[in-house]
Structures are given as C-alpha cells and as structure tokens.
Amino acid sequence: MHVLITGGAGFIGSHLAERHLANGDQVYVVDNLSTGSLANIDPFRGHPSFRFAEADILHWSGLDKAVAWADRIYHMAAVVGVKKVLQDPVAVMATNMTGTERILRAIQHGGWNPQVVIASTSEVYGFNEKESFAETDNVVLPSAGRLRWAYAVTKLADEFLAFSYARKYGLNIVVVRLFNTIGPNQVGHYGMVVPRFVRQAINNEPLTVYGEGRQTRSFCDVRDTVVALDRLAGCPEAWGEVVNVGNDQEISIRELADLIVQRAHSASPLQFISYKDAYGEEFEDVTHRRPVLNKLRALTGFAPEWTLTHTLDDLIERARSRNLLVA
Ligand SMILES: NC(=O)c1ccc[n+]([C@@H]2O[C@H](COP(=O)([O-])OP(=O)(O)OC[C@H]3O[C@@H](n4cnc5c(N)ncnc54)[C@H](O)[C@@H]3O)[C@@H](O)[C@H]2O)c1
C-alpha cells in the first residue's frame, strides 16, 4: 500500500510512518518541520520504502502527484498545542482550514479514491461540562472572539469540510476525534503535560501543575492510537463517520503528577501555578476529557494495550537514557 502522511515528522505522524514501514508499505511524509523534527523520522530516512518532502502543505507543489499516488492518506499536519494557538491564531486558521481544504480538493481532482483519515480533536467538545463525550454530543463553543478556542473551531470546520467532500464526491474519509495522546517523540514545549512532568521529575525539579490539578484527562498511548487509526482507515463502515479515539481511563492532573514522581523515584515537589501565569488572561481550561469509545470498539474491536503506568515507565526510562547521552 502507498501511504501519504501529512505532518508525518510530528509526534503521531512519525508513529504512523513506523507502523506502515513495518507492514511493508511505501510511506511518503510531508512536513514543514514547524513542530515536527528530523529526529522523529531519522530512523527511517535510509529505508528504501520511505520518502520525505520538507514542505508546507499550504504551498507544496508536489501535493497533487502525492495524493494521486496514495492508497491511503493520513492528514495529521496542523498547528497544535495550546501555547502555539494563543501565540499565533492566524497560523492556526490558515494551516488547519486552508491546508485541509487543499488536500480534499486535490483528492477530488485526483479522480482516485484513497482511504483518508482527517485528524480532529476532543477540543471540539468545547466547554461542554459532561464527564465523558460521545460523538453525538453537542459541541459547546463561545459565540464570539475568544481566541483560545481557535484550534477547536478550525478542527470543527475541518470535520464539516471532510463530510461535505465525502457526501458530494463519495470520498472514503473517516474523521477521528483524538483525545490526549502520549508517548515517545512528544515534546513538552508546546504545552503538553506528560513530557513536561517526566522531564521535571527525572531532573528532580518541581512539577508545575496548572490550577489546582483537579481537572481530569484520559491518556492514550500513541502506539495504541495508530492501531485504531489504521483499522478505521480500512473500515468501509467508518467512512463518512466521526469517531472518538483515545483511552477511557481517567486521572486528575494532580494524581498524574504524583504518579510520575512515584514511578520516577523522584524527589520533586509539586508546584501549583495559576492558569493566568501559565497561559495569560485568555486561557480557559476544561474540567473533563474522557471519550466514550463504543463506536470505535464496535467498528474496529479496538482495545488499548498500553496502561498509563506502562507508558510512563517507558517514557521515564527513555528520558533518563537521553539525559545520560547528553551528560
Ligand atoms: N497529540 C494529541 O494529543 C492530539 C490530540 C488531538 C488531536 N491531535 C491532532 O493530531 C494531529 C497530529 O498531532 P501531533 O500531536 O502529532 O502534533 P505535532 O505538532 O507533533 O504534529 C503536527 C505536524 O504537522 C506539521 N505541520 C504543521 N503545519 C504544517 C504545514 N503547514 N505543512 C506541513 N506540515 C505542517 C508539524 O511540523 C508537525 O510535524 C494534529 O492534527 C492534531 O490536531 C493530536
């Protein structure tokens, strides 16, 4: 199979590349390396079935050809992370909406009907205060001008773009609402909590918990996430559908900090920081983010293999060996 991955030098994209190369597929990655990195794709760069184009999906001249070549497309490229969104909302709107439309248009013009996965996010549920979220639940977003929600709005627009193209042109598209994903290659500098806590714990620095740490999240290991995405892409019943992807085990951020300190045998204390100090005035956090996974299970039989503790132990060990390498 020929697999095109936009944003394939990023966190989730690089794991998709690894999985498909291991399956014997041809993999083509396009990425502008804005948050992704060459280090993420270094292990495959000499591989005869791997190609990489360093390009921006908004302008890439190779897009039409690559899309016509592909049997499957994972559209993962996006401006991601709360910090980035607050720093540059214009880039978020352009990349996340114009980029997606450009890809959908190229697929439609290609006259070939590849399997397509469009990455959306649990953020689209907005500040709906439910404890867990099913695909049929309403999204609750502010009616005007709160830029913290720009990311969610662009991803919701992507969903509607995808469904419009699927309906009008019969494209084989599944939209995935990804919940918090963690694992190797994720970096902490764009606001992601687990890599930041792990780094702080192994360096015996205070773990910086925002707010009181009572907000809860459900973390899915990326090595499970890519299994779900692969199965959904190849599942005709999923085409034209939106599907939650994640893990439904929930933990508060304070408990997560305690667990990481414990697993790392760290001497780090917890340090509580207000959202205002962490992100500025505009930030609003959400209290819960737990997926209802009935649809994903019914479509694919998906069951995550990685427990949170297992993933944390793996990340702690990897961070320690990196520290030893640079010491
Ligand atoms: N990681 C999560 O927990 C999570 C949760 C919900 C949704 N998602 C979605 O999954 C996708 C992948 O996220 P990720 O966590 O791997 O983030 P990431 O930042 O590691 O990956 C995004 C990749 O897209 C690339 N990119 C950005 N703009 C580009 C452009 N204009 N042209 C080409 N490449 C561009 C970046 O360099 C990066 O490699 C995103 O669409 C994101 O919205 C991720």
Side-chain angles (χ1 to χ4, degrees):
M1 179 162 58
H2 291 178
V3 181
L4 173 66
I5 308 171
T6 75
F11 164 49
I12 302 176
S14 56
H15 286 272
L16 285 166
E18 183 177 359
R19 177 176 176 82
H20 281 286
L21 286 171
N23 284 349
D25 297 323
Q26 304 271 326
V27 172
Y28 195 172
V29 159
V30 55
D31 199 299
N32 68 355
L33 302 180
S34 51
T35 52
S37 71
L38 289 179
N40 288 346
I41 52 171
D42 255 354
F44 338 122
R45 286 187 84 197
H47 197 295
S49 301
F50 182 75
R51 277 174 81 188
F52 171 58
E54 182 179 343
D56 189 318
I57 49 158
L58 293 175
H59 312 291
W60 187 33
S61 59
L63 181 67
D64 288 339
K65 255 194 179 165
V67 162
W69 166 89
D71 303 302
R72 180 177 293 179
I73 300 169
Y74 294 99
H75 176 41
M76 311 306 286
V79 180
V80 190
V82 176
K83 279 196 177 160
K84 286 244 160 238
V85 170
L86 288 173
Q87 278 160 10
D88 195 350
V90 172
V92 177
M93 303 308 280
T95 303
N96 296 10
M97 296 201 308
T98 313
T100 302
E101 188 170 19
R102 201 170 170 237
I103 281 161
L104 292 169
R105 207 179 295 145
I107 296 169
Q108 180 236 326
H109 283 150
W112 166 240
N113 209 347
Q115 300 166 353
V116 183
V117 175
I118 299 283
S120 182
T121 168
S122 61
E123 278 277 296
V124 301
Y125 292 108
F127 47 85
N128 186 329
E129 300 223 318
K130 286 189 71 170
E131 299 212 336
S132 59
F133 297 91
E135 293 84 350
T136 45
D137 285 330
N138 285 332
V139 301
V140 182
L141 290 170
S143 63
R146 285 166 30 211
L147 286 177
R148 178 252 181 271
W149 295 99
Y151 173 62
V153 168
T154 60
K155 288 287 179 173
L156 194 61
D158 282 351
E159 294 193 4
F160 279 82
L161 274 169
F163 295 135
S164 306
Y165 275 78
R167 168 91 64 89
K168 182 157 180 187
Y169 302 109
L171 302 187
N172 301 330
I173 304 179
V174 55
V175 172
V176 291
R177 285 189 184 148
L178 296 164
F179 283 65
N180 289 86
T181 311
I182 56 171
N185 296 356
Q186 188 173 40
V187 287
H189 22 276
Y190 306 113
M192 311 309 181
V193 61
V194 169
R196 176 165 50 86
F197 280 177
V198 166
R199 182 181 43 76
Q200 290 166 333
I202 66 166
N203 293 322
N204 291 315
E205 293 164 4
L207 270 64
T208 43
V209 176
Y210 301 153
E212 292 171 15
R214 272 189 273 174
Q215 64 279 30
T216 63
R217 295 292 182 272
S218 308
F219 295 98
C220 186
D221 191 290
V222 67
R223 290 157 287 194
D224 285 325
T225 304
V226 297
V227 174
L229 300 192
D230 186 3
R231 288 190 195 165
L232 283 169
C235 171
E237 293 76 28
W239 300 338
E241 296 288 327
V242 57
V243 185
N244 286 341
V245 173
N247 187 313
D248 52 10
Q249 298 303 304
E250 198 173 28
I251 187 168
S252 77
I253 296 300
R254 192 197 166 117
E255 286 166 338
L256 174 72
D258 286 336
L259 182 61
I260 291 177
V261 168
Q262 181 212 329
R263 301 306 298 185
H265 307 292
S266 166
S268 296
L270 306 194
Q271 181 187 355
F272 294 87
I273 296 182
S274 72
Y275 285 111
K276 196 172 139 208
D277 289 342
Y279 291 115
E281 290 288 357
E282 276 181 277
F283 189 73
E284 302 162 275
D285 200 19
V286 290
T287 42
H288 303 290
R289 274 287 176 260
R290 179 154 58 93
V292 173
L293 296 174
N294 298 350
K295 191 168 179 180
L296 175 65
R297 289 194 191 107
L299 286 166
T300 65
F302 174 75
E305 288 191 354
W306 287 78
T307 63
L308 180 58
T309 310
H310 187 182
T311 305
L312 294 177
D313 288 348
D314 179 47
L315 293 177
I316 289 163
E317 197 184 312
R318 284 166 187 266
R320 283 225 164 93
S321 23
R322 258 198 321 272
N323 266 10
L324 282 180
L325 278 178
V326 292

